[in-house]
Amino acid sequence: MDGVTVIDHPLVRHKLTIMRRKETSTAQFRRLLREIATLLCYEVTRDLPLQDTAMETPVGPMTGQTIEGKKLVFVPILRAGLGLVEGMLDLVPSARVGHVGLYRDPETLGAFEYYFRAPEDVADRLCVVIDPMLATANTAVAALDRLKERGVDRLRFVCLVASPEGIERLRAFHPDVPIWTAAVDERLNDHGYIVPGLGDAGDRLFGTR
Ligand code: URA
């Protein structure tokens, strides 16, 4: 699939399998989501440009390398995207965090924005939009639209589980935005849930159902 990277590292597969089990507790689900977020972050940052920097170790001079330019912004789609933030910040502690609150209407599955906050210089940064589930892609498309309105032109999308329908729709609306996912499942059901998926990621993360 063009523009889609499936992160099938054994650790990711193992942790995702435990998360999918219906008997997995809220505490376990939350911890595993944070751990997988760190592994996904490692992959989505793999090609960041570096710059040389002259430095000294206790033994002598050398040329080291640091990440070039302004750092990242992680943009979780509320609310389930929050479960990925801490794991990503574990690896990139200096990253900024923006928030997009999008409500998915249970009848129409359309996306309605109720909150948006991003750093002032968001347009100068690489934005990594994060949401555990890429289902219909309505919320993902709306979040990316909003960031583009703010002038962001370097965007990436990271999720845990994607549907083939969601990937197709996101790629159709935003072909310039590459996708990283840990799995591509079979399909969407009539309620817009991914099958077999893992259920409602927000409810499982926050224990609300
Ligand atoms: N959102 C979820 O949390 N799970 C799905 O399967 C689809 C959308």
Side-chain angles (χ1 to χ4, degrees), residues 3-7 40-41 43-45 73-78 80-81 84 88 100 102 126-145 147-148 152-163 166-171 174-183 194:
V4 181
T5 304
V6 179
I7 301 160
L40 299 181
C41 183
E43 292 294 336
V44 77
T45 53
V73 186
F74 296 125
V75 184
I77 299 179
L78 303 181
L84 292 160
M88 296 212 163
V100 187
L102 287 162
L126 171 66
C127 277
V128 181
V129 178
I130 53 182
D131 192 350
M133 311 302 276
L134 178 62
T136 60
N138 288 344
T139 50
V141 167
L144 294 169
D145 284 345
L147 287 161
K148 285 184 179 177
V152 181
D153 61 1
R154 289 182 301 142
L155 285 150
R156 297 179 178 192
F157 186 85
V158 175
C159 61
L160 206 56
V161 182
S163 69
I167 290 175
E168 195 182 325
R169 190 168 160 81
L170 191 57
R171 295 293 298 155
H174 294 287
D176 55 314
V177 179
I179 301 169
W180 278 258
T181 183
I194 299 176

Coordinates of all heavy atoms in Angstrom, one line a residue, residues 3-7 40-41 43-45 73-78 80-81 84 88 100 102 126-145 147-148 152-163 166-171 174-183 194:
G3 N 2.3 4.7 0.6 CA 2.2 5.7 1.7 C 1.8 5.1 3.0 O 1.5 5.8 4.0
V4 N 1.7 3.8 3.2 CA 1.4 3.1 4.4 C 2.5 2.2 4.9 O 2.9 1.4 4.2 CB 0.1 2.3 4.2 CG1 -0.3 1.6 5.6 CG2 -1.1 3.1 3.7
T5 N 2.9 2.5 6.1 CA 3.9 1.6 6.7 C 3.3 0.8 7.9 O 2.7 1.4 8.8 CB 5.1 2.4 7.3 OG1 5.6 3.3 6.3 CG2 6.2 1.6 7.9
V6 N 3.4 -0.5 7.7 CA 2.8 -1.4 8.8 C 4.0 -1.8 9.7 O 4.9 -2.4 9.2 CB 2.1 -2.6 8.2 CG1 1.6 -3.5 9.3 CG2 1.0 -2.2 7.3
I7 N 3.9 -1.4 11.0 CA 5.0 -1.7 11.9 C 4.7 -3.1 12.5 O 3.9 -3.2 13.5 CB 5.1 -0.6 12.9 CG1 5.3 0.7 12.2 CG2 6.2 -0.9 13.9 CD1 5.0 1.9 13.1
L40 N 6.0 2.9 18.1 CA 5.5 3.6 16.9 C 6.3 4.9 16.7 O 6.7 5.3 15.6 CB 4.0 3.9 17.0 CG 3.1 2.7 17.2 CD1 1.6 3.2 17.2 CD2 3.2 1.7 16.0
C41 N 6.6 5.6 17.8 CA 7.3 6.9 17.7 C 8.7 6.7 17.1 O 9.2 7.4 16.3 CB 7.4 7.5 19.1 SG 8.2 9.1 19.1
E43 N 9.6 4.4 15.0 CA 9.5 4.2 13.6 C 9.1 5.5 12.8 O 9.7 5.7 11.8 CB 8.5 3.1 13.3 CG 8.8 1.7 13.8 CD 10.1 1.2 13.1 OE1 10.3 1.6 11.9 OE2 10.7 0.3 13.7
V44 N 8.2 6.3 13.4 CA 7.8 7.4 12.6 C 8.8 8.5 12.6 O 8.8 9.4 11.7 CB 6.4 8.0 13.1 CG1 6.5 8.7 14.4 CG2 5.7 8.8 12.1
T45 N 9.8 8.5 13.4 CA 10.9 9.5 13.5 C 12.2 8.9 12.8 O 13.2 9.6 12.9 CB 11.2 9.9 14.9 OG1 11.5 8.7 15.7 CG2 10.1 10.6 15.6
V73 N 5.6 18.3 16.7 CA 4.4 18.5 17.5 C 3.6 17.2 17.3 O 3.4 16.7 16.2 CB 3.5 19.6 16.9 CG1 2.3 19.8 17.8 CG2 4.3 20.8 16.7
F74 N 3.2 16.6 18.5 CA 2.3 15.5 18.5 C 0.9 16.1 18.6 O 0.7 16.9 19.5 CB 2.6 14.5 19.6 CG 4.0 13.9 19.5 CD1 4.9 13.9 20.6 CD2 4.3 13.2 18.4 CE1 6.1 13.4 20.5 CE2 5.6 12.6 18.3 CZ 6.5 12.7 19.3
V75 N 0.0 15.6 17.8 CA -1.4 16.1 17.9 C -2.3 14.9 18.1 O -2.8 14.3 17.1 CB -1.7 16.9 16.6 CG1 -3.1 17.5 16.7 CG2 -0.7 17.9 16.3
P76 N -2.7 14.6 19.3 CA -3.7 13.6 19.6 C -5.1 14.0 19.2 O -5.4 15.2 19.4 CB -3.6 13.4 21.1 CG -3.1 14.6 21.7 CD -2.2 15.2 20.6
I77 N -5.8 13.1 18.6 CA -7.2 13.4 18.4 C -7.9 12.9 19.6 O -7.8 11.7 20.0 CB -7.7 12.6 17.1 CG1 -7.0 13.1 15.9 CG2 -9.2 12.9 17.0 CD1 -7.4 12.5 14.6
L78 N -8.6 13.9 20.3 CA -9.3 13.5 21.6 C -10.5 12.6 21.3 O -11.1 12.7 20.3 CB -9.8 14.8 22.3 CG -8.7 15.9 22.5 CD1 -9.4 17.1 23.2 CD2 -7.6 15.3 23.4
A80 N -9.2 9.4 22.6 CA -8.4 8.2 22.6 C -6.9 8.5 22.3 O -6.0 7.8 22.7 CB -8.9 7.1 21.7
G81 N -6.7 9.5 21.4 CA -5.3 9.8 21.1 C -4.4 10.2 22.3 O -3.2 10.0 22.2
L84 N -1.7 7.8 23.6 CA -0.5 7.6 22.9 C 0.6 8.7 23.2 O 1.8 8.6 22.9 CB -0.7 7.6 21.3 CG -1.5 6.5 20.8 CD1 -2.1 6.8 19.4 CD2 -0.6 5.2 20.6
M88 N 5.0 8.6 23.4 CA 5.8 9.4 22.4 C 6.7 10.4 23.1 O 7.8 10.6 22.7 CB 4.8 10.0 21.4 CG 4.0 9.0 20.6 SD 3.6 9.5 19.0 CE 3.2 7.9 18.2
V100 N -6.7 18.2 19.1 CA -7.9 18.4 18.3 C -9.0 17.5 18.9 O -8.8 16.3 19.1 CB -7.6 17.9 16.8 CG1 -8.9 18.2 16.0 CG2 -6.4 18.5 16.2
L102 N -12.5 16.1 18.4 CA -13.4 15.8 17.4 C -14.4 14.7 17.9 O -14.0 13.7 18.4 CB -12.7 15.3 16.1 CG -12.0 16.3 15.3 CD1 -11.0 15.7 14.4 CD2 -12.9 17.2 14.5
L126 N 7.1 19.6 12.1 CA 6.5 18.4 11.6 C 5.5 17.9 12.6 O 5.7 17.8 13.8 CB 7.6 17.3 11.5 CG 7.2 15.9 11.2 CD1 6.6 15.8 9.8 CD2 8.3 14.9 11.3
C127 N 4.2 17.7 12.1 CA 3.1 17.4 12.9 C 2.8 15.9 12.8 O 2.6 15.4 11.7 CB 1.9 18.1 12.5 SG 1.8 19.7 13.2
V128 N 2.8 15.2 13.9 CA 2.4 13.8 13.9 C 1.1 13.7 14.6 O 0.9 13.9 15.8 CB 3.5 13.0 14.7 CG1 3.1 11.5 14.6 CG2 4.9 13.2 14.0
V129 N 0.1 13.4 13.8 CA -1.3 13.3 14.3 C -1.5 11.8 14.8 O -1.1 10.9 14.1 CB -2.3 13.6 13.2 CG1 -3.8 13.4 13.7 CG2 -2.1 15.1 12.7
I130 N -2.1 11.7 16.0 CA -2.1 10.4 16.6 C -3.5 10.0 17.1 O -4.2 10.8 17.7 CB -1.1 10.2 17.7 CG1 -1.2 11.3 18.8 CG2 0.3 10.2 17.2 CD1 -0.2 11.2 19.9
D131 N -3.9 8.8 16.7 CA -5.2 8.3 17.2 C -5.1 6.7 17.1 O -4.6 6.2 16.1 CB -6.3 8.8 16.2 CG -7.7 8.5 16.7 OD1 -7.9 7.8 17.7 OD2 -8.7 9.0 16.1
P132 N -5.5 6.0 18.2 CA -5.3 4.6 18.1 C -6.0 3.9 16.9 O -5.5 2.9 16.4 CB -5.9 4.1 19.4 CG -5.9 5.2 20.3 CD -6.0 6.5 19.5
M133 N -7.2 4.4 16.5 CA -8.0 3.7 15.5 C -8.2 4.6 14.3 O -8.7 5.7 14.4 CB -9.4 3.4 16.1 CG -9.4 2.7 17.5 SD -8.4 1.2 17.5 CE -9.6 0.0 16.9
L134 N -7.9 4.1 13.1 CA -8.3 4.7 11.9 C -9.4 3.9 11.3 O -9.2 2.9 10.6 CB -7.1 4.8 10.9 CG -7.3 5.4 9.5 CD1 -7.7 6.9 9.7 CD2 -6.1 5.3 8.6
A135 N -10.6 4.4 11.6 CA -11.8 3.6 11.2 C -12.4 4.1 9.9 O -12.0 3.8 8.8 CB -12.8 3.5 12.4
T136 N -13.4 5.0 10.0 CA -14.0 5.6 8.8 C -13.0 6.7 8.2 O -13.2 7.0 7.1 CB -15.3 6.4 9.2 OG1 -15.0 7.4 10.1 CG2 -16.4 5.5 9.7
A137 N -12.1 7.2 9.1 CA -11.2 8.3 8.7 C -11.8 9.6 8.8 O -11.2 10.6 8.4 CB -10.5 8.0 7.4
N138 N -13.1 9.7 9.1 CA -13.7 11.1 9.1 C -13.0 12.0 10.1 O -12.8 13.2 9.8 CB -15.2 11.0 9.5 CG -16.0 10.4 8.4 OD1 -15.6 10.3 7.3 ND2 -17.2 9.9 8.8
T139 N -12.7 11.5 11.3 CA -12.0 12.4 12.3 C -10.6 12.7 11.8 O -10.1 13.9 12.0 CB -12.1 11.8 13.7 OG1 -11.6 10.5 13.6 CG2 -13.5 11.9 14.3
A140 N -9.9 11.7 11.3 CA -8.5 12.0 10.8 C -8.5 13.0 9.7 O -7.7 13.9 9.7 CB -7.9 10.6 10.4
V141 N -9.4 12.9 8.8 CA -9.5 13.8 7.6 C -9.7 15.2 8.2 O -9.1 16.2 7.8 CB -10.6 13.4 6.6 CG1 -10.8 14.5 5.6 CG2 -10.1 12.1 5.9
A142 N -10.7 15.3 9.1 CA -11.0 16.7 9.7 C -9.8 17.3 10.4 O -9.6 18.5 10.3 CB -12.2 16.5 10.6
A143 N -9.1 16.4 11.2 CA -8.0 16.9 11.9 C -6.9 17.4 11.0 O -6.3 18.5 11.2 CB -7.4 15.8 12.8
L144 N -6.6 16.7 9.9 CA -5.6 17.1 9.0 C -6.0 18.3 8.2 O -5.2 19.2 8.0 CB -5.3 15.9 8.0 CG -4.6 14.7 8.7 CD1 -4.6 13.5 7.7 CD2 -3.2 15.0 9.1
D145 N -7.3 18.4 7.9 CA -7.8 19.6 7.2 C -7.5 20.9 8.1 O -7.0 21.9 7.6 CB -9.4 19.6 7.1 CG -9.8 18.7 6.0 OD1 -9.0 18.3 5.1 OD2 -11.0 18.3 6.0
L147 N -5.3 21.3 10.5 CA -3.9 21.6 10.6 C -3.4 22.3 9.3 O -2.5 23.2 9.4 CB -3.1 20.4 11.0 CG -3.3 19.9 12.4 CD1 -2.9 18.5 12.6 CD2 -2.5 20.8 13.4
K148 N -3.8 21.8 8.2 CA -3.4 22.4 6.9 C -3.9 23.9 6.9 O -3.3 24.7 6.3 CB -3.9 21.6 5.7 CG -3.1 20.3 5.5 CD -3.5 19.5 4.3 CE -2.7 18.3 4.1 NZ -3.1 17.5 3.0
V152 N 0.2 24.1 8.2 CA 1.1 22.9 8.4 C 1.2 22.2 7.1 O 0.2 21.9 6.4 CB 0.6 22.0 9.5 CG1 1.6 20.8 9.7 CG2 0.4 22.7 10.8
D153 N 2.5 22.0 6.6 CA 2.6 21.2 5.4 C 3.4 19.9 5.5 O 3.6 19.2 4.6 CB 3.1 22.1 4.2 CG 4.5 22.6 4.5 OD1 5.0 22.3 5.6 OD2 5.0 23.4 3.7
R154 N 3.9 19.7 6.7 CA 4.6 18.4 7.0 C 3.8 17.6 8.0 O 3.9 18.0 9.2 CB 6.0 18.7 7.5 CG 6.9 19.3 6.4 CD 8.3 19.5 6.8 NE 8.4 20.4 7.9 CZ 9.2 20.2 9.0 NH1 10.1 19.2 9.0 NH2 9.2 21.1 9.9
L155 N 3.1 16.6 7.5 CA 2.2 15.9 8.4 C 2.4 14.4 8.3 O 2.7 13.9 7.2 CB 0.8 16.2 8.0 CG 0.2 17.6 8.4 CD1 -0.8 18.1 7.5 CD2 -0.3 17.5 9.8
R156 N 2.2 13.7 9.4 CA 2.3 12.3 9.4 C 1.1 11.8 10.3 O 0.7 12.5 11.2 CB 3.6 11.7 10.0 CG 4.7 12.1 9.1 CD 6.1 11.7 9.6 NE 7.1 12.2 8.6 CZ 8.3 11.8 8.5 NH1 8.8 10.9 9.4 NH2 9.1 12.3 7.6
F157 N 0.6 10.6 10.0 CA -0.5 10.1 10.8 C -0.1 8.7 11.4 O 0.4 7.8 10.6 CB -1.8 9.9 9.9 CG -3.0 9.5 10.7 CD1 -3.7 10.5 11.4 CD2 -3.3 8.2 10.9 CE1 -4.8 10.1 12.1 CE2 -4.4 7.8 11.6 CZ -5.2 8.7 12.3
V158 N -0.3 8.6 12.7 CA 0.1 7.3 13.3 C -1.1 6.7 14.0 O -1.8 7.4 14.8 CB 1.2 7.5 14.4 CG1 1.5 6.3 15.1 CG2 2.5 8.0 13.7
C159 N -1.4 5.4 13.8 CA -2.4 4.8 14.6 C -2.0 3.3 14.9 O -0.9 2.9 14.5 CB -3.7 4.7 13.7 SG -3.6 3.8 12.2
L160 N -2.9 2.7 15.7 CA -2.6 1.3 16.1 C -3.2 0.3 15.2 O -2.6 -0.6 14.7 CB -3.2 1.2 17.5 CG -2.6 0.2 18.5 CD1 -1.1 0.5 18.7 CD2 -3.3 0.4 19.8
V161 N -4.5 0.5 14.9 CA -5.2 -0.4 14.1 C -6.0 0.5 13.0 O -6.6 1.4 13.3 CB -6.3 -1.2 14.9 CG1 -7.0 -2.2 14.0 CG2 -5.6 -1.9 16.0
A162 N -5.8 0.0 11.8 CA -6.5 0.8 10.7 C -7.4 -0.2 9.9 O -7.2 -1.4 9.9 CB -5.4 1.3 9.7
S163 N -8.5 0.4 9.4 CA -9.4 -0.4 8.5 C -8.9 -0.1 7.0 O -8.4 1.0 6.8 CB -10.8 0.0 8.6 OG -11.0 1.3 8.1
G166 N -10.6 3.0 5.9 CA -10.1 4.2 6.5 C -8.8 4.7 5.8 O -8.6 5.9 5.5
I167 N -8.0 3.7 5.5 CA -6.7 4.0 4.8 C -7.1 4.6 3.4 O -6.5 5.6 3.0 CB -5.9 2.7 4.6 CG1 -5.3 2.3 6.0 CG2 -4.7 2.9 3.6 CD1 -4.5 1.0 6.0
E168 N -8.0 4.0 2.7 CA -8.3 4.4 1.4 C -8.8 5.9 1.4 O -8.4 6.7 0.6 CB -9.4 3.5 0.8 CG -9.5 3.7 -0.7 CD -10.6 2.8 -1.3 OE1 -10.8 1.6 -0.8 OE2 -11.3 3.2 -2.2
R169 N -9.7 6.1 2.4 CA -10.3 7.5 2.5 C -9.3 8.5 2.9 O -9.2 9.6 2.3 CB -11.4 7.4 3.5 CG -12.3 8.6 3.5 CD -13.5 8.4 4.4 NE -14.1 9.6 4.8 CZ -14.9 10.4 4.1 NH1 -15.2 10.0 2.9 NH2 -15.4 11.5 4.6
L170 N -8.4 8.2 3.8 CA -7.4 9.2 4.3 C -6.4 9.4 3.1 O -6.0 10.6 2.9 CB -6.7 8.6 5.5 CG -5.8 9.6 6.2 CD1 -6.5 10.8 6.7 CD2 -5.1 9.0 7.4
R171 N -6.0 8.4 2.4 CA -5.1 8.6 1.3 C -5.8 9.4 0.2 O -5.1 10.2 -0.5 CB -4.6 7.3 0.8 CG -3.8 6.4 1.7 CD -2.4 7.0 2.1 NE -1.6 7.1 0.9 CZ -0.6 8.0 0.8 NH1 -0.3 8.9 1.7 NH2 0.1 8.0 -0.3
H174 N -6.0 13.1 1.7 CA -4.7 13.6 2.1 C -3.5 12.7 1.5 O -2.9 12.1 2.3 CB -4.6 13.8 3.6 CG -5.5 14.8 4.1 ND1 -5.3 16.2 3.9 CD2 -6.7 14.7 4.8 CE1 -6.3 16.9 4.5 NE2 -7.1 16.0 5.0
P175 N -3.4 12.7 0.2 CA -2.4 11.8 -0.3 C -0.9 12.1 0.1 O 0.0 11.3 -0.1 CB -2.6 11.9 -1.9 CG -3.4 13.2 -2.1 CD -4.1 13.4 -0.8
D176 N -0.7 13.4 0.6 CA 0.6 13.8 1.0 C 0.9 13.4 2.4 O 2.0 13.7 2.9 CB 0.7 15.3 0.9 CG -0.4 16.0 1.7 OD1 -1.6 15.6 1.6 OD2 -0.1 16.9 2.5
V177 N 0.0 12.8 3.1 CA 0.2 12.4 4.5 C 0.4 10.9 4.6 O -0.5 10.1 4.5 CB -1.0 12.9 5.4 CG1 -0.7 12.5 6.9 CG2 -1.2 14.4 5.2
P178 N 1.7 10.5 4.9 CA 1.9 9.1 5.1 C 1.4 8.6 6.4 O 1.2 9.3 7.4 CB 3.5 9.0 5.1 CG 4.0 10.3 5.3 CD 2.9 11.3 5.0
I179 N 1.1 7.3 6.4 CA 0.4 6.6 7.5 C 1.3 5.5 8.1 O 1.9 4.8 7.3 CB -0.9 5.9 7.1 CG1 -1.9 7.0 6.5 CG2 -1.6 5.2 8.2 CD1 -3.1 6.3 5.8
W180 N 1.4 5.5 9.4 CA 2.1 4.4 10.1 C 1.0 3.7 11.0 O 0.3 4.4 11.7 CB 3.2 4.9 11.0 CG 4.5 5.2 10.4 CD1 5.6 4.4 10.4 CD2 4.9 6.3 9.6 NE1 6.6 5.0 9.6 CE2 6.2 6.2 9.1 CE3 4.2 7.5 9.2 CZ2 6.8 7.1 8.4 CZ3 4.8 8.4 8.4 CH2 6.1 8.3 8.0
T181 N 1.0 2.4 10.9 CA 0.0 1.6 11.7 C 0.6 0.3 12.1 O 1.5 -0.2 11.4 CB -1.3 1.4 10.9 OG1 -2.3 0.7 11.8 CG2 -1.1 0.6 9.6
A182 N 0.1 -0.2 13.3 CA 0.6 -1.5 13.7 C -0.1 -2.7 13.1 O 0.4 -3.8 13.0 CB 0.5 -1.6 15.2
A183 N -1.3 -2.4 12.6 CA -2.1 -3.5 11.9 C -3.1 -2.9 11.0 O -3.7 -1.8 11.2 CB -2.8 -4.3 13.0
I194 N -14.0 -1.1 13.8 CA -13.1 -2.0 13.1 C -13.3 -3.4 13.5 O -13.3 -3.7 14.7 CB -11.6 -1.5 13.3 CG1 -11.5 -0.1 12.8 CG2 -10.7 -2.5 12.6 CD1 -10.1 0.5 13.0

